[in-house]
Amino acid sequence: MTARSVEDIQETCRIASAHGVPVVTRGAGTGLVGGGIAGVGEIVLSTRAMDRVLRISVENRLAVVEPGVINAELNRQLAERGLWWAPDPASRGISTVGGNVATNAGGLLCAKYGVTRESVLSLKVVLADGRLISVGHDTVKGVTGLDLCALMIGSEGTLGVIAECTLKLRPLVRGPVATISAYFSSVEQAARAAAAVVAAGLTPAVMELLDRRTLECVSRYNGLDLLARGDSLLLVQTDGTGAVAEAEAVHALVMAAGAVAEVTTDPEESARLMAVRREAFPAIESLGTLLVEDVAVPMDRMSAMFRRIRELEDRYDVIIPTACHAGDGNLHPAFAFPGDEVPEVVWKAAEALFEYALELGGTLSGEHGIGLLKRQWLKDELGDAQMAIQRQIKAAFDPAGILNPGKVFPPQG
């Protein structure tokens, strides 16, 4: 079913509710955990055609959009008004705002500008029985009742169907952008340097870390010799009025930590450097079918997490190229394998990776969500009591269990 209006969503949910038919909401299908995959006898409700920007208010710094609007297209229109919507997932050129909201998507700019939740004011949501509710506030402040808007963000289609989004905007960032490329002899050394940047009170717009395995893949992919200067690359970008001074402070810190580092304010050189990061997953995918994991750990434990990933490579005889949003401790260990079925050895390595992330005080997912792929480990993080409460919340919104069944929450029994 292709929805073109809120009324289409409501009618679909009414029919599905009356007949007990499951509904799986789908945007652009860019998710990485199987949240938008439907099974036999399930309705796929696509909101991709609902792609209008309904209103932009410069005075209130907000935009009202339909869920099928593409990130990059929204920001193209906002730029004409001197505004910007901050969420910046790697898929921003093809992912939808509704999908970003449903998964609480992150990206390269999260450490400074936050994940999607920080950029949403209110939502219109269609419930399982077709009722339409408005959650959140269009004002800067608002504390009436429980925060159901925050609850909907990241709920992966299990509580309702996002039908309209009111987004919090920022002024376009002005002034120069400075980019630091810092090569280190080990990824653990680079991770410690990234933690030191944060500990020093600096907040770069971008701080991305690529390990040796990832640099090997990108070098094969684009023909560059990225390993000539080190075994890992820390890319840091600063913006705003103090960008150059902040970049100089970052440069001094990474040099003191043992890096070979350079700073540039040249836009073309900065774009070339950032392209290395954005090419990471396509480069790894050239090795085979890709399974990208998504764990986050406290900043001062990133080095330990990278060390454990190297141990898992040796234990399971796999390679695990890992890119990291080093400004917020969000690692993306990736597995490439032949064929369509994930080999058992990959699942074993992934499970060990999840266990260690939790042991370090981290989380199973920093930004991709749970979907199908991680549901069996969710209770390991939440515990029995919280898992039961979350199921109760799900039942309050969707008593018949027809909204994206089998996603996030593993089947009971």
Side-chain angles (χ1 to χ4, degrees):
M1 167 64 190
T2 298
R4 301 186 184 279
S5 66
V6 174
E7 292 74 20
D8 286 347
I9 298 175
Q10 290 183 277
E11 185 63 16
T12 301
C13 288
R14 288 190 195 105
I15 293 170
S17 181
H19 296 279
V21 179
V23 176
V24 177
T25 307
R26 187 175 177 88
T30 60
L32 294 174
V33 293
I37 295 174
V40 175
E42 297 181 341
I43 296 172
V44 177
L45 175 57
S46 172
T47 58
R48 178 64 188 87
M50 296 176 64
D51 59 358
R52 294 180 300 161
V53 176
L54 302 173
R55 181 164 70 94
I56 298 173
S57 172
V58 176
E59 297 83 359
N60 295 302
R61 288 189 188 170
L62 63 78
V64 181
V65 306
E66 292 182 323
V69 173
I70 298 294
N71 288 61
E73 172 58 22
L74 171 62
N75 274 322
R76 186 192 66 77
Q77 294 188 40
L78 292 176
E80 298 171 0
R81 313 283 188 93
L83 296 169
W84 168 56
W85 192 51
D88 183 49
S91 59
R92 68 194 187 284
I94 54 175
S95 64
T96 63
V97 169
N100 292 172
V101 174
T103 58
N104 195 22
L108 273 62
L109 299 172
C110 291
K112 184 170 184 177
Y113 296 106
V115 294
T116 300
R117 180 174 285 116
E118 280 74 57
S119 295
V120 176
L121 291 170
S122 66
L123 299 168
K124 288 185 179 179
V125 179
V126 176
L127 300 179
D129 59 7
R131 286 178 295 165
L132 178 68
I133 62 171
S134 295
V135 295
H137 308 83
D138 292 353
T139 53
V140 175
K141 294 179 178 179
V143 292
T144 50
L146 301 178
D147 192 350
L148 298 186
C149 184
L151 183 62
M152 288 293 173
I153 300 168
S155 62
E156 302 186 50
T158 63
L159 303 182
V161 181
I162 295 164
E164 185 178 287
C165 312
T166 300
L167 308 176
K168 180 180 179 181
L169 308 179
R170 294 174 178 269
L172 278 175
V173 179
R174 306 294 184 182
V177 171
T179 305
I180 304 101
S181 57
Y183 288 87
F184 291 85
S185 59
S186 75
V187 70
E188 292 88 353
Q189 184 186 27
R192 288 192 295 270
V197 169
V198 174
L202 302 171
T203 310
V206 174
M207 188 154 62
E208 296 292 304
L209 176 53
L210 308 180
D211 70 352
R212 180 180 179 86
R213 295 290 196 192
T214 305
L215 293 181
E216 290 172 347
C217 291
V218 176
S219 294
R220 285 193 296 267
Y221 185 75
N222 63 18
L224 298 175
D225 184 6
L226 296 172
L227 295 167
R229 301 177 69 187
D231 265 17
S232 63
L233 171 61
L234 184 66
L235 286 170
V236 186
Q237 198 164 77
T238 59
D239 64 3
T241 55
V244 174
E246 188 174 26
E248 290 171 352
V250 171
H251 182 258
L253 275 170
V254 297
M255 290 290 286
V260 176
E262 296 176 353
V263 182
T264 182
T265 55
D266 177 66
E268 291 187 5
E269 178 64 9
S270 289
R272 186 190 69 78
L273 289 168
M274 295 311 300
V276 171
R277 169 59 182 91
R278 296 193 185 278
E279 289 172 348
F281 291 141
I284 300 167
E285 193 172 19
S286 68
L287 302 178
T289 304
L290 193 61
L291 175 67
V292 181
E293 289 303 344
D294 163 43
V295 296
V297 297
M299 292 292 299
D300 62 350
R301 297 176 185 176
M302 282 192 299
S303 181
M305 193 69 214
F306 273 108
R307 185 166 58 251
R308 179 55 61 94
I309 290 169
R310 300 288 78 81
E311 293 170 359
L312 294 176
E313 286 188 318
D314 293 338
R315 185 194 309 172
Y316 293 101
D317 192 26
V318 295
I319 65 167
I320 313 175
T322 302
C324 174
H325 302 315
D328 52 30
N330 187 189
L331 293 86
H332 291 308
F335 300 86
F337 50 87
D340 296 326
E341 293 293 323
V342 180
E344 184 62 26
V345 67
V346 169
W347 281 129
K348 288 181 178 179
E351 183 171 19
L353 186 149
F354 300 154
E355 290 173 354
Y356 193 61
L358 296 179
E359 188 179 319
L360 291 176
T363 179
L364 292 170
S365 178
E367 58 186 9
H368 292 170
I370 299 299
L372 280 172
L373 294 186
K374 291 188 177 180
R375 64 184 186 177
Q376 73 184 83
W377 296 286
L378 184 60
K379 191 165 72 171
D380 294 342
E381 178 172 341
L382 299 184
D384 290 337
Q386 188 182 166
M387 192 71 173
I389 291 170
Q390 296 223 3
R391 287 189 183 277
Q392 289 167 6
I393 292 171
K394 160 73 170 169
F397 283 90
D398 179 23
I402 66 169
L403 294 180
N404 217 4
K407 313 299 171 42
V408 182
F409 305 102
Q412 290 182 296

